[in-house]
Structure formats: C-alpha cells, structure tokens
Amino acid sequence: MLSRLLHSSLLRFLLVGGFGELLYLGLYFLIWQLSAGQAPLAIGLAGGICILVNALLHARVSFRVSFSRRLLLIYAAIQLLCLGISALVGWLLQRLGLSGPLIGVTSTLLWSSTSFLLTRSLFRSGKASAGRPPQGSG
C-alpha cells in the first residue's frame, strides 16, 4: 500500500504542486522587491513562470508523458478554469458569511483537486502530448 502511494500520480502531483507554490512565492517576493512593490507585475511574472514550470514538471514527473506546446496551452486553460471556479465559489462562500481563512483553504483545496482531475485526464489521454501515451503507472 505504501509503495503504491509513493509511486502514485497523486503524490507526484502534490509534490510538484508544492514545489510550484514555493517557487511562486519566492519569485513573487523577488520580483516585488525588484519592482518597488508592484504587486500586479510580480503576480503576472511569477505566475507566468510557474505555469510554464508546472506544466513541464506535471508532464514529465507527475504523469510521465511527453511535453508539448499543445499540452502547455491546455494546461494554462485548465488553470484559468480552476481560477474562475475558485473565485466564484470564494465569492459565494463570502456571501454566506464564511471567514477569509476558511475561504482561502476551501479555494485551495477546490483548485488543487479540480486541477489534478482535469490535468490527469488530459495528460493520460495522450491528446496533449503529441499523441504519445503516458509512460509508467500511477
């Protein structure tokens, strides 16, 4: 059971995702400092870099498929969809009177789970990776 968990795409996805979050925060604060506190610039640059890095790492590490430009575009679309869903649910939860921290945790869990399910489906289909089927198990 432990061996299966250690080799699962979910665990690899979470590890890549955790790395991506740390990379985002590091880049955000670096760019924010260098740009004299321009948060939108820092968010855009750090987020853009992380989408590229995460798309590559999820393809090669999480799901063990070939990387392609098509995969990158579809992955970016998935992330935009997850952002929209999370923002909408966050807005609804705020209207219901839930606290900010609870909304933050809920939106993170919703975004992560939706991203995992859609990305796994995309990467396993082989459509986004130039028709090459996934390699390995998980």
Side-chain angles (χ1 to χ4, degrees):
M1 169 101 173
L2 181 59
S3 175
R4 183 174 168 90
L5 176 64
L6 291 176
H7 297 299
S8 73
S9 59
L10 176 58
L11 179 62
R12 291 189 307 267
F13 183 88
L14 292 173
L15 290 173
V16 167
F19 171 77
E21 293 299 326
L22 293 175
L23 177 63
Y24 171 78
L25 290 173
L27 288 172
Y28 171 83
F29 285 115
L30 175 66
I31 296 166
W32 185 77
Q33 287 285 334
L34 294 174
S35 68
Q38 296 295 315
L41 177 64
I43 291 167
L45 288 176
I49 291 168
C50 286
I51 285 175
L52 291 172
V53 170
N54 281 348
L56 176 63
L57 290 177
H58 281 311
R60 299 305 300 148
V61 175
S62 298
F63 301 108
R64 299 176 179 168
V65 298
S66 299
F67 184 73
S68 68
R69 279 185 275 159
R70 179 179 164 90
L71 184 145
L72 173 62
L73 292 174
I74 297 173
Y75 178 80
I78 287 172
Q79 295 313 304
L80 287 173
L81 176 65
C82 291
L83 170 63
I85 291 170
S86 294
L88 178 62
V89 169
W91 177 79
L92 290 171
L93 294 175
Q94 187 174 25
R95 300 271 307 183
L96 293 172
L98 273 70
S99 70
L102 184 57
I103 294 170
V105 169
T106 303
S107 66
T108 297
L109 293 173
L110 178 62
W111 189 326
S112 297
S113 60
T114 304
S115 177
F116 173 74
L117 293 172
L118 292 175
T119 303
R120 181 180 65 176
S121 175
L122 166 72
F123 287 17
R124 283 191 171 173
S125 74
K127 293 177 185 172
S129 58
R132 293 184 68 192
Q135 302 166 356
S137 62

